[in-house]
Amino acid sequence: MVARTDLATDPGLQGELLQARPGTAFFARKLNELTDQELDSGSLLPGWTRRHVVAHVGYNARAIARLVEWAGTGVETPMYPSTGVRDHEINFGATMSPIALRNLFDHSAVHLSVEWRDLPDRDWANEVKTVQGRTVPASETVWMRTREVWIHAVDLNNGATFADVPAPVLERLLRDVTGSWKTRGTDTGLLIKVNGTELAGTDLTFGDSSAPDPTIITGPLPAVVEWATGRGTSGVTAACGTEMLSGIPAAPKWI
Ligand code: ZN
């Protein structure tokens, strides 16, 4: 029997699914605003046209759907055989006709949504492996996808900004990014302060809180996330003690 609604009954998970689907819809809207010809222009990602972004987002949905299938069947199906294969797939995808690219995005998004819908409660905790080799429960795939569609909608470079991304998504993203710096030890001497957020109502602080004389990056949540993900520096300031810095240092890499 085919389910008409999500089989997952966990309220937290249902909430996350509710966050992923508007992200997909938002990406679809930005993509639809682009003419076929405009797909040839540059994205915010170095060396990638918009075509590359669309191909990547489409293949990413397929890759994440493989993880959900793995969780449901117990048969190991990795996201990609290797990162080389993934990159090759993106480069190939970028050469497809505009209609084929748009279909890739649409069909892969629907397929993933169906895989999520039909995964029963008992299988969401089953472990799968990300392309970076992290072992995660299947439920993590929802966040993995959410993050992708929102960020890459901005990368399409036709008007979407981090201010369009819901605050809970931005905050979780910032935790991911700063957590990755911490794991790699690349946040030494760097303190990030987010001005009072909708969520917390107070300032949020990330990074190296033990540094005696840190470089402090400050701004509203969308601006800080834009900076932290390497997408721009508008709206953030940098200071050392009480001294404002004239240049904003680049954020450490996070992926
Ligand atoms: Zn991506």
Side-chain angles (χ1 to χ4, degrees):
M1 203 186 77
V2 176
R4 290 269 164 249
T5 55
D6 289 324
L7 294 181
T9 57
D10 178 77
L13 189 54
Q14 286 177 336
E16 285 188 40
L17 286 165
L18 283 176
Q19 232 163 39
R21 289 178 178 134
T24 300
F26 183 69
F27 185 93
R29 179 149 68 84
K30 298 316 289 179
L31 174 56
N32 285 338
E33 286 171 11
L34 291 165
T35 64
D36 288 351
Q37 208 175 4
E38 285 169 337
L39 290 175
D40 299 339
S41 303
S43 73
L44 286 189
L45 293 172
W48 273 19
T49 64
R50 288 166 171 152
R51 288 166 158 275
H52 290 86
V53 174
V54 178
H56 165 56
V57 169
Y59 290 128
N60 170 265
R62 286 194 185 166
I64 290 179
R66 284 194 278 275
L67 296 186
V68 183
E69 285 162 27
W70 174 358
T73 62
V75 179
E76 182 165 345
T77 41
M79 291 182 77
Y80 307 95
S82 68
T83 51
V85 169
R86 179 192 59 184
D87 296 347
H88 180 77
E89 192 176 51
I90 294 167
N91 287 326
F92 163 75
T95 67
M96 295 195 304
S97 70
I99 184 82
L101 262 180
R102 292 176 196 273
N103 282 339
L104 168 65
F105 169 74
D106 288 341
H107 294 172
S108 62
V110 169
H111 176 207
L112 175 59
S113 190
V114 168
E115 290 293 338
W116 278 335
R117 187 193 65 190
D118 294 345
L119 193 67
D121 267 334
R122 62 167 189 274
D123 290 337
W124 281 94
N126 292 349
E127 288 185 335
V128 294
K129 214 183 286 173
T130 70
V131 67
Q132 288 94 4
R134 274 192 316 135
T135 298
V136 296
S139 54
E140 180 85 5
T141 60
V142 181
W143 170 242
M144 285 162 62
R145 180 62 177 172
T146 302
R147 192 168 99 161
E148 286 290 304
V149 283
W150 284 111
I151 297 181
H152 292 314
V154 175
D155 290 334
L156 283 178
N157 197 16
N158 65 325
T161 70
F162 283 96
D164 294 315
V165 182
V169 174
L170 289 175
E171 194 179 318
R172 187 161 175 189
L173 188 51
L174 191 55
R175 287 184 197 286
D176 274 14
V177 173
T178 54
S180 145
W181 296 343
K182 192 142 300 256
T183 306
R184 299 174 185 196
T186 51
D187 66 348
T188 309
L190 196 56
L191 197 63
I192 292 91
K193 281 188 176 173
V194 179
N195 299 334
T197 63
E198 239 175 84
L199 286 187
T202 52
D203 291 357
L204 291 172
T205 305
F206 301 91
D208 183 6
S209 48
S210 63
D213 203 11
T215 299
I216 307 168
I217 304 288
T218 312
L221 185 59
V224 171
V225 173
E226 178 185 286
W227 168 81
T229 56
R231 262 71 175 181
T233 57
S234 61
V236 295
T237 57
C240 194
T242 52
E243 188 115 358
M244 294 298 283
L245 303 177
S246 54
I248 311 283
K253 281 196 178 310
W254 68 286
I255 271 191

